[in-house]
Amino acid sequence: MIKQLLKSVREFKRDAILTPLFVVLEVVMEVAIPAVMALLIDRGIDAQDMGQIWKYGLLLIVCAMLALVFGAAAGTYAARASTGFARNLRHDMYYAVQEYSFANIDKFSTGSIVTRLTTDVTNVQNAFQMCTRIAVRCPVMLLFALVMAFRINSELALVFLAVLPVLAVGLGVLMRLVGPVFERVFKTYDRMNTVVQENVRGIRVVKAYVREEHETEKFKGVSGLLYREFSKAQKTMACSSPLMQFCMYACMLLISWFGARLIVGGSMTTGELTSLFSYAMQILMSLMMVAMVFVMITMSRASAERIAEVLAEQPDLHDPAQPVNEVRSGDIDFDHVDFSYKGEEGKLALRGVELHIKAGQTVGILGGTGAAKSTLVQLIPRLYDATHGTVRVGGVDVRDYSIAALRDQVAMVLQKNVLFSGTIKENLRWGNENASDEELQRVCRLAQADDFIRQMPAGYDTHIEQGGTNVSGGQKQRICIARALLKKPKILILDDSTSAVDTKTDALIRKAFAEEIPDTTKIIIAQRVSSVQDADQIVILDGGVVQAVGTHEELLAGNPIYQEIYEQQTRKGGEQ
């Protein structure tokens, strides 16, 4: 895990290496200061020698200034390395998510990915900075200060060795108790982010059903749980401070007691005792900082594991070694296709699909809710791979194509239409970023979107809010259809994409398709018979199985499912 995360340091390796180097130099200067102070007291002040006072006084100033310079350099390089590391980590995670297939994305909730890209990365960034500075400074300071303390008086320095095991055991117990709590905390963060996202995204529904109080209670519940978990962790970690204070004051009292006896006995000078106090403070402060590092590492370990999980997730869809880069035609063939979302044989969403569509044909797909209509068409642009059997486009297995080349020739308007914040033009140019204004207007006329766009205050430059909240459902669908047409695809898939438009507009869109893009294979998933009755083929799906394929007349004459749907919708008042 650590090795994987450290790959994101990259161009900031130099800063990450220079940081501990300057930290060590800073520690050397800080450890030298008490030793120089002892000489100043013993050889200058006690001996009443002004020459020695000036000599060691200037040396103290030099050590202090060097410590300041080295400390500032270490801080600068540490900040640059940690922020750069965090930037690269977010970059790597974001691009990893972009490479995911739908199957990979299904493993993570949106709230979880957001938490990992924000809170978790910040925790790891702080831990990385502490590891390059504090985690280096503390053991080096501890070692150097102990060496200097033993040089002054080895017997008195044994006081530190007696206290260290007590502190180490206490901190170890605290870390063991608090680790699982932090793991639960970050899972609760995921839940809270999900609650907030759902509420903000569905705020209109919340208000329409007067469910503000329910949503508030839901948020209070998860927020309260987060508070309780964090409080528990912080209360546990708060025990480290009294433990540190106890060890610190115990050391001070013991050093004072034994040091005073040694001075009276003449085996220790006042300056040496003074420097020993300084080294005691440095040793104990180092231990206290070690405790802080342990806390941060404990917190960040859970975050690091969650980040590594995103980076380690391997896309299950890959380009072949020698991919086909050209889709010759819009022919589509399903040969004995089975599909399961989790690859489990006993939970097949599609079973034994045998379907052949010629280029330029219009194919309608009908079926009840959960019939796997969307699942079927998602296999064509290889959003998922078939579990068994073969899906071919243009006579070539979709797994033999370059994924980018295949998807570039298969335009798909999904059930959940998505518009991004920006102008209508910017949203349309997702289909073709180099399209001219004339091309934009042409596809909008085909999708019956040109009229309402021109009636907007800024026309095609009208700003679309995030999620397309300032346009109606039917307008959003037509903009998304126009965006798909702009790709000039060989295959156009409309997944229930005209459900929010009236029957007249729906008919005009289908008429425009027939006249303007006759060579494009058109697959229309619909709930209305009127949307597909003019299709060359109509596919009836039921429970993931193709029950029948035929024209409107053929199915009306011989298929009970189609007959039932038709009768329900054409009965007086039944047609939508």
Side-chain angles (χ1 to χ4, degrees):
M1 177 185 73
I2 299 298
K3 186 177 180 181
Q4 185 178 39
L5 294 181
L6 289 179
K7 291 178 182 177
S8 297
V9 177
R10 291 197 291 276
E11 69 268 30
F12 297 98
K13 281 183 181 178
R14 175 176 170 273
D15 297 311
I17 292 171
L18 286 175
T19 298
L21 174 62
F22 281 110
V23 166
V24 171
L25 293 174
E26 180 190 13
V27 168
V28 169
M29 291 298 104
E30 290 186 7
V31 170
I33 287 174
V36 176
M37 181 67 74
L39 294 174
L40 175 65
I41 293 171
D42 293 338
R43 298 183 184 181
I45 297 173
D46 286 350
Q48 298 182 356
D49 187 339
M50 284 302 298
Q52 294 296 320
I53 290 174
W54 276 105
K55 174 183 173 182
Y56 291 113
L58 289 173
L59 188 56
L60 272 176
I61 293 172
V62 171
C63 289
M65 293 302 295
L66 286 174
L68 177 64
V69 170
F70 292 145
T76 301
Y77 285 116
R80 191 183 300 165
S82 61
T83 53
F85 170 62
R87 185 196 71 181
N88 288 346
L89 206 52
R90 290 191 185 94
H91 173 278
D92 294 346
M93 289 176 68
Y94 187 80
Y95 276 80
V97 172
Q98 300 307 305
E99 294 295 321
Y100 284 177
S101 68
F102 279 23
N104 297 121
I105 292 172
D106 291 343
K107 296 180 182 179
F108 303 95
S109 68
T110 304
S112 177
I113 291 176
V114 171
T115 304
R116 294 169 201 240
L117 279 163
T118 52
T119 304
D120 287 335
V121 171
T122 300
N123 287 336
V124 171
Q125 175 187 345
N126 292 335
F128 180 78
Q129 184 168 11
M130 291 192 84
C131 287
T132 54
R133 285 196 72 189
I134 309 301
V136 173
R137 175 188 174 84
C138 294
V140 173
M141 175 71 81
L142 185 65
L143 178 62
F144 284 9
L146 273 174
V147 169
M148 295 300 290
F150 272 95
R151 285 191 61 188
I152 293 170
N153 190 298
S154 57
E155 294 178 356
L156 200 55
L158 291 174
V159 170
F160 300 118
L161 297 183
V163 172
L164 286 178
V166 176
L167 196 58
V169 171
L171 291 175
V173 171
L174 290 176
M175 296 306 111
R176 191 176 184 86
L177 291 173
V178 84
V181 179
F182 281 120
E183 290 180 9
R184 294 198 299 271
V185 161
F186 293 116
K187 290 179 181 178
T188 308
Y189 261 127
D190 290 347
R191 288 173 56 192
M192 187 172 73
N193 276 341
T194 300
V195 168
V196 172
Q197 283 182 333
E198 286 180 346
N199 180 269
V200 174
R201 189 176 297 164
I203 192 67
R204 287 168 174 76
V205 178
V206 172
K207 291 185 178 296
Y209 283 87
V210 197
R211 297 286 284 177
E212 292 93 339
E213 187 175 343
H214 169 76
E215 287 296 305
T216 301
E217 288 300 318
K218 190 163 67 171
F219 177 79
K220 282 172 64 178
V222 69
S223 181
L225 178 61
L226 186 62
Y227 163 76
R228 290 191 295 274
E229 294 285 10
F230 246 129
S231 295
K232 183 177 180 181
Q234 294 299 333
K235 285 175 184 176
T236 305
M237 292 312 305
C239 297
S240 64
S241 182
L243 180 63
M244 290 299 308
Q245 295 291 332
F246 170 78
C247 293
M248 182 182 296
Y249 290 128
C251 279
M252 289 300 183
L253 287 172
L254 290 171
I255 290 171
S256 298
W257 172 260
F258 291 116
R261 293 171 65 87
L262 291 172
I263 289 175
V264 172
S267 58
M268 178 179 279
T269 66
T270 305
E272 288 175 337
L273 183 59
T274 303
S275 63
L276 204 57
F277 278 126
S278 297
Y279 288 130
M281 289 297 295
Q282 288 180 346
I283 290 169
L284 294 169
M285 287 303 295
S286 296
L287 291 172
M288 188 174 288
M289 296 302 289
V290 166
M292 289 178 59
V293 171
F294 270 113
V295 172
M296 181 55 68
I297 289 175
T298 302
M299 287 180 62
S300 63
R301 185 182 66 182
S303 294
E305 288 173 352
R306 286 155 53 83
I307 291 170
E309 189 178 2
V310 173
L311 295 174
E313 180 71 20
Q314 292 297 318
D316 57 1
L317 301 182
H318 301 280
D319 281 341
Q322 295 182 329
V324 177
N325 292 306
E326 182 183 355
V327 179
R328 291 194 298 269
S329 70
D331 292 332
I332 304 169
D333 297 288
F334 286 80
D335 286 340
H336 305 290
V337 171
D338 294 339
F339 175 74
S340 170
Y341 282 102
K342 295 185 178 180
E344 298 174 5
E345 297 287 344
K347 296 182 179 180
L348 293 176
L350 292 170
R351 293 190 299 276
V353 176
E354 187 76 18
L355 191 61
H356 304 283
I357 303 169
K358 295 180 180 178
Q361 280 191 328
T362 298
V363 176
I365 301 179
L366 288 177
T369 303
K373 301 184 296 295
S374 297
T375 302
L376 178 72
V377 296
Q378 286 175 353
L379 299 182
I380 298 170
R382 207 184 167 201
L383 299 179
Y384 294 96
D385 270 343
T387 306
H388 298 295
T390 305
V391 179
R392 289 193 295 272
V393 170
V396 178
D397 190 329
V398 292
R399 289 169 289 200
D400 293 334
Y401 280 111
S402 157
I403 293 176
L406 174 64
R407 292 178 182 171
D408 196 44
Q409 292 300 321
V410 181
M412 191 167 184
V413 184
L414 297 169
Q415 239 176 340
K416 294 181 180 179
N417 296 290
V418 177
L419 293 178
F420 299 89
S421 55
T423 65
I424 291 177
K425 279 184 180 179
E426 289 169 346
N427 271 277
L428 289 171
R429 286 195 170 112
W430 273 66
N432 179 2
E433 60 183 353
N434 299 314
S436 65
D437 288 351
E438 290 74 18
E439 289 177 293
L440 298 184
Q441 292 164 15
R442 174 182 170 274
V443 295
C444 284
R445 283 194 295 272
L446 288 176
Q448 305 303 308
D450 184 64
D451 288 342
F452 77 78
I453 291 174
R454 290 184 183 278
Q455 291 172 10
M456 290 183 167
Y460 281 82
D461 292 312
T462 299
H463 186 80
I464 298 292
E465 301 296 335
Q466 184 179 10
T469 55
N470 59 332
V471 292
S472 70
Q475 289 172 338
K476 187 190 297 186
Q477 286 186 337
R478 283 176 277 173
I479 292 173
C480 290
I481 291 170
R483 180 174 64 187
L485 290 172
L486 203 59
K487 290 179 70 174
K488 299 177 181 176
K490 287 186 169 63
I491 299 171
L492 174 64
I493 300 172
L494 303 180
D495 187 355
D496 204 13
S497 303
T498 57
S499 58
V501 301
D502 57 84
T503 52
K504 179 182 177 182
T505 304
D506 186 15
L508 289 172
I509 291 173
R510 287 185 283 111
K511 182 174 181 291
F513 286 174
E515 294 175 354
E516 300 292 336
I517 50 172
D519 297 329
T520 299
T521 304
K522 298 165 283 290
I523 299 176
I524 302 171
I525 295 176
Q527 300 297 331
R528 294 185 295 224
V529 170
S530 60
S531 297
V532 298
Q533 65 182 18
D534 296 327
D536 299 303
Q537 293 187 72
I538 300 173
V539 179
I540 304 299
L541 271 178
D542 184 30
V545 177
V546 176
Q547 293 289 349
V549 179
T551 63
H552 170 70
E553 291 76 15
E554 290 170 346
L555 294 175
L556 196 58
N559 185 262
I561 297 176
Y562 190 78
Q563 289 169 354
E564 182 181 354
I565 296 171
Y566 182 78
E567 287 173 6
Q568 286 176 347
Q569 294 186 5
T570 55
R571 195 179 300 141
K572 186 176 181 180
E575 184 76 47
Q576 297 178 0

